[in-house]
Amino acid sequence: MPDDPATRAGLPVRGARALFSDVRWFAEVRSTNSVLAELGRRAAPEGVVVVADHQTAGRGRLGRRWEAPAGSSLLLSVLLRPALSVAELPLTTLLVALAACDACVDVARVSPLLKWPNDLTVAGRKLGGVLAETVPGPDGRAVIVGLGLNVTWAPSPPASGVSLEQVAGHPVDRSELLAALLRHLEDRYRALDGRHGRSDLVAAYRARSATLGRAVRVEREGGVLEGRAVDVTPEGHLVAEIAGRRRVFAAADVIHLRPGGEGL
Ligand code: BTN
């Protein structure tokens, strides 16, 4: 059962007409993405938000687990039914990642960068990650976008993970962070339908990119390639220059290469 949302109050959503006003906050679930995927299959409307203090089977990209102690992170998923083509669906990851950055700036005065495709980073250390999944349903496809953001705790080793409180140097309230994120997400999501919506979103993403201009290793099915990240396409795909040729990657794992060594 979800906690009484009123006790979570302070969650200053914008009233009944706000797109993300149906917030269901649970003490524990297996995975907020899984809970929302089930709702999506059962025709839940766009805008439902599932939040949890703890996940027992949180999922990361590429079949990895996402683990965090209870109450230490902002763990949430949102249900979208965007008017995007399949090729453009990566834009939903960019959207939530950018809204999460906006919220970090507003609430903690911390300005993360984005490592393509889905990581929030501070000084090369991972602050959070986004996982987008699609599910079929009677009303058509739903996109579930989940975010895990380290608030009071960061995974070890310290060189790879970081928490918002570590960087901010003061306590950060998860409800406030959530409310800010949902406000920014709504603004960015509604803007997507405008004439320049997609290009503006990708421009904002480029401006926050920790990946563009970097030497990268691109790991995907079919092999590992090394080159330089040079652009993000209007669909949110990564463009890398590899052996003098531009190649486009819709999905891959990217490692930033530091001169002479491994990177995040
Ligand atoms: C990654 O960096 O691999 C993405 C991690 C996404 C984790 C979040 S936590 C909330 C939501 N529910 C899940 O099971 N996963 C996402």
Side-chain angles (χ1 to χ4, degrees):
M1 286 288 287
D3 289 354
D4 175 9
T7 63
R8 297 284 181 183
L11 191 61
V13 288
R14 283 172 178 168
R17 297 196 52 210
L19 180 54
F20 299 107
S21 56
D22 183 354
V23 177
R24 306 179 191 186
W25 194 318
F26 295 80
E28 185 172 281
V29 294
R30 284 175 59 72
S31 148
T32 56
N33 266 35
S34 304
V35 170
L36 206 43
E38 193 44 47
L39 293 174
R41 278 187 206 100
R42 290 195 264 124
E46 172 161 84
V48 178
V49 183
V50 170
V51 188
D53 290 327
H54 187 231
Q55 297 182 124
T56 54
R59 293 183 283 113
R61 284 179 69 242
L62 308 171
R64 296 174 188 138
R65 290 180 65 84
W66 184 268
E67 289 176 333
S72 70
S73 307
L74 182 59
L75 307 169
L76 70 94
S77 302
V78 296
L79 191 153
L80 305 177
R81 296 187 181 278
L84 296 172
S85 67
V86 171
E88 292 171 324
L89 289 180
L91 293 178
T92 58
T93 295
L94 275 50
L95 196 67
V96 171
L98 280 167
C101 290
D102 297 335
C104 292
V105 172
D106 281 7
V107 174
R109 302 279 170 262
V110 169
S111 188
L113 293 180
L114 295 171
K115 172 175 171 282
W116 190 89
N118 72 323
D119 286 350
L120 279 79
T121 65
V122 175
R125 296 195 283 168
K126 183 159 172 166
L127 178 68
V130 178
L131 175 68
E133 301 173 293
T134 52
V135 293
D139 289 358
R141 177 190 64 203
V143 184
I144 311 300
V145 193
L147 167 78
L149 185 75
N150 310 328
V151 177
T152 62
W153 165 94
S156 303
S160 66
V162 72
S163 77
L164 198 52
E165 289 194 351
Q166 272 171 357
V167 185
H170 57 76
V172 174
D173 183 84
R174 286 181 299 147
S175 298
E176 249 185 76
L177 201 57
L178 172 66
L181 188 154
L182 296 179
R183 273 196 313 273
H184 285 288
L185 183 60
E186 178 159 356
D187 290 343
R188 289 191 180 277
Y189 189 54
R190 291 200 190 280
L192 207 51
D193 286 335
R195 193 150 154 253
H196 302 292
R198 290 156 210 212
S199 50
D200 287 352
L201 178 74
V202 173
Y205 184 84
R206 287 191 189 107
R208 267 207 186 271
S209 176
T211 301
L212 293 181
R214 299 283 301 255
V216 289
R217 182 158 71 228
V218 183
E219 299 181 352
R220 76 221 148 108
E221 263 178 53
V224 175
L225 300 164
E226 287 192 7
R228 183 162 301 277
V230 292
D231 202 3
V232 175
T233 71
E235 298 81 19
H237 304 179
L238 182 71
V239 184
E241 211 161 72
I242 292 168
R245 255 185 68 209
R246 286 189 162 220
R247 301 196 44 175
V248 179
F249 301 93
D253 217 17
V254 163
I255 289 128
H256 292 169
L257 297 175
R258 297 202 170 94
E262 294 288 302
L264 181 69

